Amino acid sequence: MCESVCECVASLCMCVHVISVFVSVGQSPLCAAGMNAAVRATVRVGIYTGAKVYFVHEGYQGLVDGGDNIKPATWESVSMMLQLGGTVIGSARCMDFKEKWGRLKAACNLVKLGITNLCVIGGDGSLTGANQFRTEWSELLADLIKQGKITAEEAKRSSHLNIVGMVGSIDNDFCGTDMTIGTDSALHRIIEVVDAITTTAQSHQRTFILEVMGRHCGYLALVTALACGADWVFIPEMPPEENWEEHLCKRLIAQRERGSRLNVIIMAEGAQDRKQKPITCDQVKNLVSKKLGFDTRSTILGHVQRGGTPSAFDRILGSRMGVEAVMALLEATPETPACVVSLSGNMAIRLPLMECVQVTKDVTVAMAEGRFEDAVNLRGKSFQNNWNTYKMLAHVNPPEVKSNINIAIVNVGAPCAGMNAAVRSAVRAGLIQGHQMLAIHDGFDGLANGQIEPITWAQVGGWTGKGGSNLGTKRNLPGKNIEQISLNIAKFNIHSLIIIGGFEAYLGGLELVTAREKYEELCIPMVVIPATVSNNVPGSDFSIGADTALNTITTTCDRIKQSAAGTKRRVFIIETMGGYCGYLATMAGLSSGADAAYIYEEPFHIHDLELNVMHLIEKMKTSVKRGLILRNSNANDNYTTQFLYNLYSEEGKGTFDCRMNILGHMQQGGTPTPFDRNFGTKMGAKSVMWLTDKLKECYRHGRIFANTPDSACVLGMKKRSLIFQPLASLKDDTDFEHRIPKTEWWLKLRPILKILARYEAVEIDTSEVAAMEHIIKKTGEIKGGKI
C-alpha cells in the first residue's frame, strides 16, 4: 500500500450528508475481494436510514473530476455485487489529489452536493489521504469562498467533514483489526494452489517454494504456513536467525527422514534476513537444490491472490463493516475523530483512524531498526498467536526426556472439515512437550472397545488439508459403555483426554464428568474442542467446520442466483443443515444476499410468510427479478421446505415460479477452508498446552487426580479470545432439547440481513456499541525503542 497521501491511490470513498445522507464510493487499484459487499451494505443501509446515496467512480480521481463520476446510487444498482471480486465502480491512481488544487476541486464538488461525510475503503495510504482532507477542510472552504467557487451559505452548510474508514487490503497489514477485507479470499486462492502443488510434490518427492504477497506484512505467508503445515516460513516481521541456511537444510532433511515425501517452504515477497537483505525464491531454491540435491521448484503467485470470488467470510465482514460505518457516520459530531471500523474476534469495533495508521507505520520503523519482537507485537494479538503457534509446531525433534504423560484424542459426532487439522496440531504439540499421544478410533465406541494406539509425528503429516475425520467418528455417547471406558482409561494409562466434535462431544464430556463420582479413572483433565458445521456447541462463538460448510452453501447459492438471473422471475427455496441452530442459514443469507432465512430461534408464522411472498412479488416489479429463500433444516415442524415451496409456488403464480434445493451432506464434505485449518491448528495446540499445565496442577502423590469443575472444559472463541470454560458451568446456557446454546451472538446480525433485503421497520441492536477504543493503549506505545 502507498504510504504517502500523494500516492493515496483512489480509495473506496462513501460520502454521507447527515441531513440528506450521501454515500460516495471509489476504490484503490490494489483492490480486494469483499469490497463490493461493503459498498452494497453501506449504500443499502444509507438508503434505509433515509439517505440519498451517491457513487464516486474512479476513487479520489472521481472526487476531483466530479461531473458524471459522482452519480446517485440506487437499491438495484448494488444488486448482484456480492459474488464479484474487485470493484464495480472503477479505480484509479490519483496524482491530482496530491496537490492542494486537486483537493480544492474535490472539496468544491462535495460542497455543491452537500456532502459532509466520507467513508473510505482502502489501505493506510488511502485512509491517511482522507484524514488530511478532513484536517484541512476549513482551510479549503475558506479558499473556495475567496475564489468565488462557493458561497458563504454553502460553506456554512458544509462546515465540517466526518470520516469513517474500512480497511480493504489482502495483506492484512493494517494494525487495529484482526482481518482486513479481502484477506480471507486471498488465503482461499493461495490454499487452492498449495493443495494442487502438494499432490505433485508428493508424487515426485519434491521441495516446493511458494511466494505469496506481503511486501511489508507476513500475515498471508504465516497463515498459509499454518494452514498447509509448511516446513519453513519467511516473513518480514521476524527474519530467520543467523546461519538460517544450515537450520533450514537440517529441518528439510529431518522431515524426509521421518517419511515425508515433500517439503513446503512459504515466503512473503518482503522476506528479509536480520541485516534487512532480501531473501528471494531463487536464493532458497538454489540453496536447497545444491546443498541437499532435492528436486526443487518455486512458484510466485502474484496477482492471482487478488482475484476471484470473495469468500463467505469477506462478504459477511464487508457487510458488517458497511453497516457499522453508516452507524458511525450517523452518530458522528464535528468533534468526533476520524475512525476506522475494525474486527476484533467476532466484534465490530471503532478505532481512531490515525492511531491505527501510526501503529502501522511503527511496525515498519521497528523492522527497519531491527526490533523484530516489537514488530510482531505491534501487529496485534491475532498475529502474535499465529506466530507463536507456528513456532511451536515448527519443532521437528521432540525432547529426549519424556514426560510419562499419555494424552488421548477422540473425534465424536458427525465429521467436518478441520477436525484433522486440530488432531494434527494436538499430536505434534503433545510430542513437542514430551508426551505420548494416543489416537482413539471411532469415537466413544472406540474408547470402550479399546481401539486405541499411539500416534506419531509422521502419521499426521498432511492432515491439515484433509476433510472429514481420519480417526473415524461416531455419534454414540459414553452412556451404557461408561464402565468399559473407565477400564480402558486405566488399561491404556490415559492421563488426559481431548474430545473434538459437535454437540455429542459436549454431551459426552458432561457424561464423563458426571460419572467421576462413581469411576475414579475418569478423574482426569479433559477438554472439548467444538467441531461441527452446525456451530451449536455452547461455550464457543465458532466451531471448526462451520466456515467450510458456509462457503459450500454460499458457492451453491451463487450458482443458483446466476441461473435465476438468466431465467428471470424465479425464486429458489434452499434448505441448509444445522439442526435447530440457524447459524448456517443466517450467515449464508448474509453472504449470498438472500431475501429471507427461516430459523428455529426466530419463530415465524403464516403472516410472516405472507409478508415474504408479497415482498418478492414487489421485488419482481423492479429490475432484480429473482429471489432466494433459505430455511434451516429444523426451522419449523409444520412449515417444512416442501411446504414453503408449495406456498411460494401457489402464491407466486403469474408473477414468479419456484425451485427447491436441499443441499444435504455436501455441506459436511470438501477440503477445509483456510479459516478452519488455521482455527483447528490453534485450538489443537492450545488445548495441549492447557492440559500440560492442568496435569501439573492435578499431579498428587505419583498419580493424576482431577475432579474440580475447571479440570473439564470447553475451549472456545468468545468475542475476542480463546478461553476455557468448565463444562458444568455451561449447562445453564444450554437448550438440551434442541441442542443449541440459549445465547447465540449471531442472532444480532439477522436485522442486517432483513435491511439489506429491503424489509421495512427493522431495528438494529446497537447495545454492544462501545465508545471508541484506542489501539495505542492496546498494543503498547513505542518509547525509546521499546514497547
Side-chain angles (χ1 to χ4, degrees):
M1 279 294 163
C2 306
E3 295 181 0
S4 68
V5 179
C6 303
E7 297 177 46
C8 67
V9 219
S11 50
L12 216 117
C13 311
M14 287 174 211
C15 316
V16 186
H17 191 284
V18 178
I19 300 173
S20 156
V21 188
F22 295 78
V23 182
S24 154
V25 192
Q27 181 183 344
S28 160
L30 303 182
C31 54
M35 283 184 163
N36 285 327
V39 173
R40 171 181 177 269
T42 309
V43 168
R44 289 193 169 180
V45 174
I47 292 174
Y48 179 80
T49 59
K52 184 175 182 182
V53 184
Y54 281 86
F55 285 135
V56 174
H57 293 269
E58 315 305 336
Y60 282 139
Q61 191 63 56
L63 211 57
V64 173
D65 295 342
D68 289 340
N69 289 299
I70 305 178
K71 296 180 178 179
T74 64
W75 197 278
E76 291 80 8
S77 66
V78 293
S79 181
M80 290 297 283
M81 288 175 63
L82 277 171
Q83 71 273 27
L84 300 178
T87 172
V88 300
I89 53 176
S91 171
R93 290 188 181 275
C94 182
M95 304 303 292
D96 296 344
F97 201 73
K98 295 194 301 184
E99 308 295 337
K100 187 172 182 180
W101 64 263
R103 296 193 292 275
L104 275 169
K105 288 184 66 177
C108 184
N109 290 329
L110 294 181
V111 171
K112 291 297 183 182
L113 291 170
I115 296 171
T116 57
N117 298 271
L118 289 173
C119 175
V120 182
I121 306 179
D124 58 345
S126 300
L127 297 175
T128 302
N131 189 71
Q132 180 181 350
F133 191 41
R134 178 182 190 266
T135 301
E136 61 181 12
W137 183 253
S138 297
E139 181 184 339
L140 293 174
L141 293 184
D143 288 348
L144 289 171
I145 293 173
K146 288 179 182 178
Q147 295 174 13
K149 299 289 181 64
I150 63 173
T151 65
E153 184 63 28
E154 288 175 324
K156 185 178 180 180
R157 287 199 301 265
S158 302
S159 59
H160 64 274
L161 182 69
N162 290 322
I163 298 285
V164 171
M166 288 184 271
V167 189
S169 166
I170 71 165
D171 293 338
N172 201 30
D173 56 354
F174 193 81
C175 294
T177 181
D178 289 347
M179 288 281 275
T180 55
I181 298 170
T183 303
D184 189 67
S185 299
L187 286 169
H188 275 253
R189 303 292 90 76
I190 295 168
I191 292 301
E192 287 169 7
V193 174
V194 171
D195 287 347
I197 282 176
T198 51
T199 55
T200 302
Q202 283 180 325
S203 301
H204 297 277
Q205 299 190 59
R206 285 176 175 159
T207 295
F208 260 96
I209 304 164
L210 186 74
E211 182 187 292
V212 301
M213 283 185 168
R215 189 171 302 166
H216 304 292
C217 180
Y219 185 87
L220 288 179
L222 180 55
V223 174
T224 298
L226 279 173
C228 71
D231 300 301
W232 196 278
V233 63
F234 292 94
I235 60 173
E237 290 89 346
M238 186 58 71
E241 300 290 343
E242 298 294 336
N243 201 26
W244 61 267
E245 294 91 344
E246 183 179 339
H247 294 307
L248 171 60
C249 291
K250 285 182 179 178
R251 175 84 55 83
L252 300 183
I253 291 172
Q255 287 293 71
R256 291 295 177 98
E257 288 176 346
R258 289 176 178 274
S260 176
R261 291 178 57 86
L262 81 158
N263 298 116
V264 177
I265 299 170
I266 305 296
M267 299 185 66
E269 62 178 320
Q272 59 180 355
D273 61 20
R274 293 268 158 171
K275 297 178 181 177
Q276 299 181 42
K277 182 180 178 181
I279 300 175
T280 66
C281 264
D282 287 340
Q283 180 183 351
V284 178
K285 178 183 176 182
N286 292 334
L287 169 70
V288 175
S289 58
K290 290 179 180 178
K291 191 166 184 177
L292 302 181
F294 290 174
D295 185 4
T296 308
R297 300 286 189 276
S298 62
T299 300
I300 299 175
L301 285 189
H303 279 72
V304 69
Q305 297 159 85
R306 295 195 182 278
T309 301
S311 66
F313 182 95
D314 272 331
R315 300 185 198 193
I316 294 169
L317 176 62
S319 298
R320 292 182 66 185
M321 296 301 99
V323 173
E324 186 65 24
V326 173
M327 295 298 104
L329 286 172
L330 292 177
E331 296 168 12
T333 67
E335 291 72 37
T336 304
C339 78
V340 59
V341 290
S342 304
L343 180 73
S344 180
N346 71 346
M347 295 180 65
I349 62 173
R350 301 174 193 174
L351 298 169
L353 169 58
M354 293 315 295
E355 284 189 19
C356 295
V357 170
Q358 182 58 53
V359 176
T360 301
K361 291 179 178 178
D362 288 343
V363 177
T364 304
V365 172
M367 288 191 288
E369 295 177 355
R371 295 181 289 105
F372 301 114
E373 290 289 346
D374 288 354
V376 171
N377 292 335
L378 284 166
R379 282 287 181 216
K381 188 176 180 181
S382 176
F383 194 95
Q384 293 174 45
N385 290 340
N386 286 326
W387 176 244
N388 291 333
T389 303
Y390 176 78
K391 281 196 301 182
M392 182 198 314
L393 299 178
H395 289 282
V396 176
N397 297 314
E400 294 182 4
V401 179
K402 304 300 180 183
S403 67
N404 296 321
I405 292 295
N406 300 324
I407 299 179
I409 305 175
V410 61
N411 289 346
V412 178
C416 68
M419 273 185 164
N420 292 323
V423 172
R424 169 191 172 275
S425 174
V427 167
R428 293 194 169 180
L431 293 174
I432 290 164
Q433 297 299 311
H435 309 323
Q436 175 171 261
M437 304 302 293
L438 302 174
I440 301 172
H441 298 278
D442 297 335
F444 287 124
D445 287 357
L447 182 55
N449 298 329
Q451 296 172 248
I452 306 167
E453 62 180 5
I455 187 166
T456 66
W457 185 284
Q459 281 178 279
V460 295
W463 280 29
T464 307
K466 293 182 178 179
S469 167
N470 287 357
L471 293 183
T473 180
K474 290 187 177 180
R475 292 180 178 273
N476 296 339
L477 299 175
K480 59 184 180 181
N481 296 321
I482 201 80
E483 182 174 353
Q484 193 59 43
I485 286 174
S486 66
L487 291 174
N488 278 332
I489 286 177
K491 177 181 176 181
F492 289 90
N493 202 23
I494 295 173
H495 299 113
S496 60
L497 184 63
I498 298 175
I499 308 169
I500 303 172
F503 204 81
E504 290 84 1
Y506 168 68
L507 291 177
L510 280 173
E511 288 188 5
L512 293 178
V513 170
T514 303
R516 281 175 169 178
E517 296 179 1
K518 187 175 180 181
Y519 301 98
E520 191 174 305
E521 297 84 358
L522 299 178
C523 292
I524 59 174
M526 307 176 198
V527 61
V528 174
I529 298 178
T532 167
V533 302
S534 301
N535 196 33
N536 64 332
V537 178
S540 186
D541 293 342
F542 296 104
S543 294
I544 297 168
D547 186 71
T548 303
L550 181 58
N551 276 276
T552 299
I553 299 168
T554 300
T555 300
T556 304
C557 288
D558 284 350
R559 294 173 179 174
I560 286 172
K561 285 176 66 178
Q562 189 178 51
S563 72
T567 54
K568 306 290 186 184
R569 300 183 181 277
R570 179 163 289 175
V571 175
F572 279 88
I573 317 290
I574 299 175
E575 180 183 301
T576 69
M577 275 186 167
Y580 288 98
C581 180
Y583 176 83
L584 286 179
T586 297
M587 291 305 202
L590 271 173
S591 64
S592 62
D595 294 283
Y598 299 119
I599 63 171
Y600 166 78
E601 292 94 337
E602 191 174 277
F604 56 98
H605 308 284
I606 194 65
H607 177 64
D608 301 303
L609 298 178
E610 181 183 5
L611 288 176
N612 294 151
V613 171
M614 296 306 299
H615 171 79
L616 284 171
I617 290 174
E618 290 300 312
K619 186 178 180 181
M620 295 302 162
K621 297 176 182 178
T622 70
S623 60
V624 187
K625 301 181 185 303
R626 62 189 170 279
L628 182 67
I629 304 294
L630 299 181
R631 178 189 177 275
N632 184 53
S633 54
N634 290 353
N636 189 289
D637 290 338
N638 295 312
Y639 298 143
T640 64
T641 303
Q642 184 66 52
F643 175 90
L644 293 179
Y645 168 73
N646 294 338
L647 174 68
Y648 275 81
S649 297
E650 180 64 28
E651 296 298 322
K653 277 184 178 179
T655 305
F656 58 80
D657 62 350
C658 287
R659 297 290 185 274
M660 181 177 72
N661 292 77
I662 297 177
L663 301 185
H665 282 75
M666 66 180 290
Q667 298 161 83
Q668 287 182 336
T671 59
T673 60
F675 181 95
D676 278 331
R677 299 184 196 201
N678 187 25
F679 192 42
T681 298
K682 286 195 283 192
M683 296 275 271
K686 193 172 182 70
S687 67
V688 169
M689 301 309 295
W690 180 82
L691 285 174
T692 301
D693 292 338
K694 191 61 65 175
L695 285 163
K696 293 176 183 177
E697 294 177 15
C698 301
Y699 185 78
R700 296 287 186 276
H701 309 296
R703 59 191 289 264
I704 301 295
F705 184 79
N707 67 345
T708 58
D710 66 350
S711 64
C713 290
V714 170
L715 170 59
M717 167 69 79
K718 296 297 288 184
K719 291 188 176 179
R720 302 194 187 189
S721 57
L722 290 173
I723 62 173
F724 292 87
Q725 298 172 86
L727 281 161
S729 70
L730 296 171
K731 292 168 68 174
D732 290 341
D733 189 41
T734 304
D735 179 347
F736 287 98
E737 179 184 356
H738 298 103
R739 298 162 57 89
I740 56 175
K742 292 179 181 177
T743 306
E744 294 172 304
W745 67 273
W746 48 266
L747 287 172
K748 291 186 177 182
L749 301 183
R750 286 187 59 80
I752 298 175
L753 190 157
K754 295 178 181 178
I755 289 173
L756 296 180
R758 209 172 190 175
Y759 286 90
E760 297 179 356
V762 180
E763 293 185 3
I764 299 179
D765 184 353
T766 58
S767 59
E768 288 193 1
V769 175
M772 194 178 297
E773 301 183 15
H774 293 278
I775 184 174
I776 297 292
K777 292 181 181 179
K778 293 168 61 178
T779 58
E781 187 173 2
I782 293 182
K783 293 182 179 179
K786 293 184 179 180
I787 297 181

